[in-house]
Amino acid sequence: MGFKKVAIIGAGVSGLTSIKACLEEGLQPVCFEQHDDLGGVWHYSDDVRPNQGAAMYRSLITNSSKEMMSFSDFPFPKDTPPYLPYHRVYTYLQDYAQHFDLKKHIRFGTQVSHIEKTEDFDETGRWEVRTVQTGHSDAEQKDIFEAIMVCNGVFARPYVPDVPGLSGFSGVTMHSQEYRTAQQFRGKKVVVVGAGNSAGDVAAEIAQVASQVYLSLRDGAWVLPRLAQAGMPRDMMLRRVLMSMPEFIVNKIIKGEANARVCHDNYGLTCPAEPLKHSVMANDEIGYRLATGQVITKPQLSRFTQHTARFEDGSTVDGLDAVVFATGFSLAFNFSDKSILPDNTEDLNLYKLVFPAELTKPTLSVIGCLSTIGAHPPIYELQARWAVRVFLGLNKLPDKETMLERARSDKLELKQRFGYVKLQMMNVPYRDDIAEEIGVKPSFWKLLPRDPKLAFLCYFGPAFSVQYRLLGPHPWSGAADHAKSALANTLYPFRSPALDKEQSFLSLAKIVKFIVLFGMLLVALYCLL
């Protein structure tokens, strides 16, 4: 088809899996990474690196368990614990790159300064990519590529809200991007702003050394611990059978789980929005900090003075020493004309959050430009696999108007759900939508005659990423065995062989029980409706 060279911008999670997806289809990827190492946000440094987006703090632990967040054909080692400190993820990415020989396709210390269509774009779909060596903007290089994969991520530019009086505040002001440890806040009075994972982590950690921490929540927060019943990772609740239930039932389950650990009304976490219409904070410590008074919840900030923070309910915090904004990130496509990739999510028309709908040739894809409740790497991997097949013409996109209409309807749904266009998708349904495009969505009915246990695990069990290597193009020979053992592997480091055998039996029994209960629930719903 004439497609050979593909430019990949960024060597983080989405960039690495994009390199691999290109190699699987026989393309020639050239990945440009502005820093001197791969890993993106998972690369730790004591100081913020130039042009860096999100960054790690030393205490960070993953919110997704190892089997849920691994790539589909490269599981974590069995002896890896269920949840991981950031450096274990960084090592995993290094191992992934080495196993599939990805590093030789990365140009480190090279920044993409600009991309633009070639003069014959409408016929060829080619792009001119200009790059510079990091720190040497005077020596620009130009190359022509048949396609581009934009992998600079959704966490590109720290967002700090414009709070009146902030410029006159005399204390320390920082974004969570700059946060590394709590030591600088010892004995201080601190406000942490935000309702997401980072806000909870930072507030809980600072509270152990500060004189007092206040957590400012605009509209409450749904807080869920990482561990569910019997100590199993909570993200293993991401199952196709649950995602097929009516939304009000899923919301009720989440609220019940959240309030079972910390009654949200009692601890100032009350959230007017349903969990599926709001960010969920994965945190194991914040409940204890609230219960001990080390953290006190506050509503939205309304104003700062030199030493004071005022909140919307009229309350104030005097003698304030510091404020940490854990308020997320904004998009930034500094290398692109805004007519191609605007920074404003309202203007960004991406078909299924991957392909700019206005382009006359589908030779540019955006990988990893979304957030979700649950693991991100499996989503990025599926997006990359789909994108390269579209580049090659193996998968076809609909016409421009159809894509624009889908992009508009997605934005409208997001706006209705969150009150603004927030690029957050339902994890498993979105993954399965992209997987269906590729032909790798695990089918209960296709798997049932060849392996009934595997079919039931895929539908009723956790939606492990390995399930996308069972069927369709580029299957993995070890996928079926790993899909059956992934649940047991989760707790493998802590179990004896005898317990593993018992767990295998219990898992099968639980699956049968779950199927019976689910059938009864469907019958009850049918009778009620």
Side-chain angles (χ1 to χ4, degrees):
M1 299 294 292
F3 286 95
K4 294 182 180 180
K5 290 176 62 180
V6 178
I8 298 172
I9 303 175
V13 173
S14 54
L16 291 174
T17 197
S18 293
I19 298 171
K20 180 176 177 291
C22 286
L23 295 174
E24 280 181 337
E25 298 292 353
L27 300 176
Q28 299 175 18
V30 180
C31 179
F32 300 104
E33 169 54 51
Q34 63 179 333
H35 298 119
D36 59 2
D37 198 0
L38 57 79
V41 299
W42 295 100
H43 177 98
Y44 176 85
S45 60
D46 286 330
D47 300 308
V48 178
R49 297 183 291 177
N51 302 313
Q52 184 170 359
M56 294 290 104
Y57 36 93
R58 287 188 188 174
S59 61
L60 187 138
I61 302 295
T62 59
N63 299 313
S64 299
S65 59
K66 63 175 182 179
E67 293 292 344
M68 296 297 286
M69 72 178 294
S70 66
F71 292 115
S72 61
D73 55 356
F74 191 74
F76 280 90
K78 285 179 67 175
D79 60 356
T80 305
Y83 288 102
L84 310 164
Y86 72 87
H87 60 84
R88 296 288 292 264
V89 181
Y90 170 76
T91 300
Y92 171 76
L93 295 177
Q94 290 280 357
D95 293 342
Y96 178 76
Q98 181 177 356
H99 182 79
F100 294 107
D101 201 15
L102 308 182
K103 269 192 175 183
K104 67 182 182 182
H105 301 282
I106 304 173
R107 297 183 186 177
F108 292 106
T110 306
Q111 184 176 1
V112 174
S113 55
H114 192 67
I115 62 171
E116 63 180 345
K117 303 172 187 174
T118 58
E119 292 184 0
D120 60 354
F121 178 85
D122 288 338
E123 287 115 30
T124 65
R126 297 190 304 171
W127 296 85
E128 180 181 272
V129 177
R130 301 178 193 172
T131 58
V132 295
Q133 294 299 304
T134 303
H136 299 84
S137 58
D138 55 335
E140 191 173 65
Q141 180 175 330
K142 299 179 182 179
D143 294 283
I144 302 298
F145 290 88
E146 279 75 32
I148 296 178
M149 304 177 83
V150 177
C151 302
N152 67 321
V154 72
F155 309 113
R157 183 191 311 158
Y159 168 73
V160 176
D162 185 17
V163 182
L166 180 59
S167 60
F169 175 60
S170 63
V172 173
T173 301
M174 70 163 58
H175 189 275
S176 57
Q177 178 215 37
E178 305 168 73
Y179 178 82
R180 295 296 181 271
T181 71
Q183 293 311 307
Q184 72 181 97
F185 301 104
R186 183 172 295 278
K188 307 293 185 182
K189 191 180 290 186
V190 184
V191 168
V192 177
V193 185
N197 297 320
S198 296
D201 286 349
V202 171
E205 184 171 53
I206 293 177
Q208 298 180 62
V209 299
S211 63
Q212 185 62 62
V213 172
Y214 300 88
L215 179 59
S216 174
L217 304 167
R218 182 177 61 186
D219 50 6
W222 290 108
V223 180
L224 287 168
R226 290 176 177 85
L227 298 182
Q229 188 177 17
M232 290 300 292
R234 184 169 301 281
D235 63 349
M236 288 191 176
M237 293 297 289
L238 289 173
R239 304 178 180 214
R240 291 179 177 85
V241 64
L242 290 177
M243 295 300 102
S244 64
M245 290 182 177
E247 194 168 291
F248 77 91
I249 294 179
V250 179
N251 277 320
K252 189 171 183 177
I253 292 171
I254 295 174
K255 287 194 286 186
E257 290 288 311
N259 282 307
R261 179 69 177 270
V262 179
C263 178
H264 285 47
D265 290 341
N266 290 345
Y267 285 94
L269 296 167
T270 304
C271 184
E274 296 291 295
L276 294 180
K277 296 183 178 180
H278 195 276
S279 296
V280 173
M281 179 191 294
N283 195 283
D284 304 286
E285 295 291 330
I286 199 70
Y288 299 123
R289 305 303 163 204
L290 290 168
T292 59
Q294 293 172 295
V295 175
I296 298 174
T297 56
K298 287 288 185 180
Q300 185 172 357
L301 277 165
S302 61
R303 174 171 292 277
F304 282 101
T305 63
Q306 187 176 3
H307 303 288
T308 302
R310 181 178 294 276
F311 302 89
E312 283 195 340
D313 63 352
S315 64
T316 60
V317 172
D318 300 316
L320 185 64
D321 297 299
V323 56
V324 180
F325 289 98
T327 44
F329 295 80
S330 301
L331 297 178
F333 302 110
N334 299 329
F335 46 80
S336 170
D337 186 276
K338 302 311 174 193
S339 64
I340 300 171
L341 290 175
D343 291 341
N344 188 340
T345 54
E346 293 275 359
D347 301 325
L348 188 63
N349 290 314
L350 294 178
Y351 177 63
K352 297 192 177 184
L353 292 184
V354 176
F355 290 98
E358 291 95 341
L359 288 178
T360 56
K361 294 286 185 180
T363 56
L364 184 144
S365 65
V366 181
I367 310 299
C369 187
L370 80 163
S371 62
T372 183
I373 298 174
H376 289 74
I379 293 179
Y380 301 166
E381 182 182 26
L382 286 166
Q383 288 180 324
R385 293 174 69 184
W386 180 39
V388 296
R389 291 180 65 81
V390 170
F391 293 160
L392 287 167
L394 299 173
N395 289 109
K396 301 291 185 182
L397 297 182
D399 61 82
K400 176 181 175 181
E401 287 308 314
T402 301
M403 290 195 292
L404 279 171
E405 180 54 35
R406 169 64 186 261
R408 291 176 188 135
S409 65
D410 282 348
K411 288 193 291 185
L412 179 61
E413 182 181 343
L414 290 167
K415 196 165 188 175
Q416 291 173 341
R417 180 177 291 274
F418 298 108
Y420 61 101
V421 180
K422 179 182 182 179
L423 301 179
Q424 179 169 314
M425 305 301 289
M426 295 284 284
N427 192 299
V428 177
Y430 179 78
R431 274 198 276 157
D432 280 354
D433 184 24
I434 302 299
E436 198 162 19
E437 294 277 0
I438 309 168
V440 298
K441 178 182 174 181
S443 168
F444 179 83
W445 299 111
K446 288 182 180 178
L447 290 170
L448 187 62
R450 71 168 79 165
D451 195 330
K453 180 181 178 181
L454 186 58
F456 278 99
L457 283 171
C458 287
Y459 188 70
F460 291 96
F464 296 122
S465 61
V466 68
Q467 295 166 4
Y468 299 111
R469 293 287 177 176
L470 295 168
L471 304 169
H474 305 293
W476 174 39
S477 59
D481 287 341
H482 189 76
K484 294 176 185 178
S485 63
L487 193 61
N489 286 348
T490 300
L491 299 180
Y492 175 82
F494 318 120
R495 301 182 63 84
S496 69
L499 286 174
D500 281 338
K501 185 176 180 181
E502 178 188 356
Q503 179 67 28
S504 176
F505 169 78
L506 289 174
S507 296
L508 184 58
K510 285 179 179 178
I511 289 171
V512 173
K513 181 180 178 182
F514 195 90
I515 293 170
V516 173
L517 291 175
F518 182 65
M520 294 171 63
L521 176 63
L522 290 180
V523 171
L525 286 173
Y526 178 79
C527 294
L528 288 172
L529 297 175

